[in-house]
Amino acid sequence: MSWFQLPLGPLQTNCYIHTNDQGEGIIFDPGGEGEKLITWLRERQITPLAILLTHAHFDHIGAVEDVRNTFHIPVYIHENEKEWLIDPQRNGSSLFIPGSSIKAREAEHLITGEQDLSIGSFSYQVLETPGHSPGSLSYYAKEDKIVFSGDALFAGSIGRTDLPGGDHQLLLDSIHDKLLELPEDTTVASGHGPTTTIGHEMDGNPFLSGF
């Protein structure tokens, strides 16, 4: 399997496309520029099977409707943020983008706890990693040694916790108890900026000193 990083939307949020040898794909966090993403997929003849959301802040969901309507695929999100898709105030779009109202229909699938998730040939260990937001999730693909961590952990940083529902200590606990327990050679596919590895962040992330 392969994966691709495609920054999209007003904050250049990293959308990830995880693909298999059959030309199928899973889309993580389509943050905006729906037509650009759709064109990208079609040019590479990738057939998406689902949209997996790490959380529902506006910069991670901006292209959800364009993609789901074009390819007729389901959306997965944590139950704690089930109303954020349809509420511009909760997802932050009405607060951070004047005159904007980013919203989408309710998700087809609500994730209610940590679990193993299989979609076609794709398998993930779903980790609850709240702190940046109440329903933040990370999706660990063990065979490919990659975790799609959303805005929990970045290269040299961690997610902000000053937004509604944020909790700094809870985020640190999530990183320590869930993400840093993964193998050190695991690639961290973050919501913004470059990818990193668990080992690199354990050794050099200033927010994690003492862990």
Side-chain angles (χ1 to χ4, degrees):
M1 292 188 179
S2 302
W3 57 272
F4 303 89
Q5 181 190 62
L6 191 63
L8 298 171
L11 301 185
Q12 290 293 278
T13 302
N14 288 327
C15 172
Y16 293 96
I17 301 94
H18 193 198
T19 64
N20 61 20
D21 294 337
Q22 290 73 51
E24 298 170 325
I26 302 295
I27 300 172
F28 293 89
D29 293 352
E33 300 179 88
E35 286 303 315
K36 178 179 178 179
L37 176 55
I38 292 165
T39 298
W40 189 96
L41 292 164
R42 285 176 167 165
E43 287 178 347
R44 290 158 181 79
Q45 298 183 323
I46 296 172
T47 301
L49 302 181
I51 297 170
L52 302 187
L53 298 175
T54 62
H55 64 293
H57 281 146
F58 71 94
D59 58 313
H60 290 252
I61 67 170
V64 164
E65 284 301 89
D66 288 343
V67 174
R68 89 197 305 187
N69 290 337
T70 297
F71 296 104
H72 307 290
I73 56 177
V75 174
Y76 291 71
I77 195 171
H78 195 282
E79 64 173 345
N80 286 350
E81 297 180 17
K82 64 181 180 180
E83 297 179 359
W84 290 32
L85 287 173
I86 62 175
D87 188 339
Q89 185 169 358
R90 293 192 181 190
N91 67 47
S93 58
S94 64
L95 303 175
F96 289 93
I97 306 180
S100 176
S101 180
I102 294 175
K103 56 184 178 180
R105 304 192 312 275
E106 293 182 352
E108 285 79 7
H109 298 282
L110 297 179
I111 294 175
T112 59
E114 297 193 338
Q115 59 190 267
D116 293 326
L117 177 64
S118 295
I119 302 172
S121 65
F122 299 89
S123 296
Y124 305 101
Q125 181 181 352
V126 181
L127 305 174
E128 292 182 304
T129 50
H132 173 67
S133 70
S136 287
L137 295 168
S138 296
Y139 300 86
Y140 174 48
K142 182 177 181 179
E143 291 187 2
D144 289 335
K145 298 181 179 180
I146 185 169
V147 60
F148 301 94
S149 64
D151 288 358
L153 179 62
F154 301 122
S157 188
I158 62 174
R160 62 187 295 181
T161 56
D162 58 339
L163 301 173
D167 185 317
H168 182 74
Q169 187 58 53
L170 181 58
L171 176 58
L172 291 177
D173 291 343
S174 293
I175 294 170
H176 178 263
D177 296 340
K178 306 296 175 64
L179 297 180
L180 298 190
E181 289 296 312
L182 300 176
E184 292 187 23
D185 62 349
T186 302
T187 295
V188 180
S190 304
H192 301 272
T195 59
T196 182
T197 66
I198 293 295
H200 185 78
E201 297 313 305
M202 290 175 68
D203 293 337
N205 191 314
F207 292 89
L208 306 182
S209 59
F211 274 2

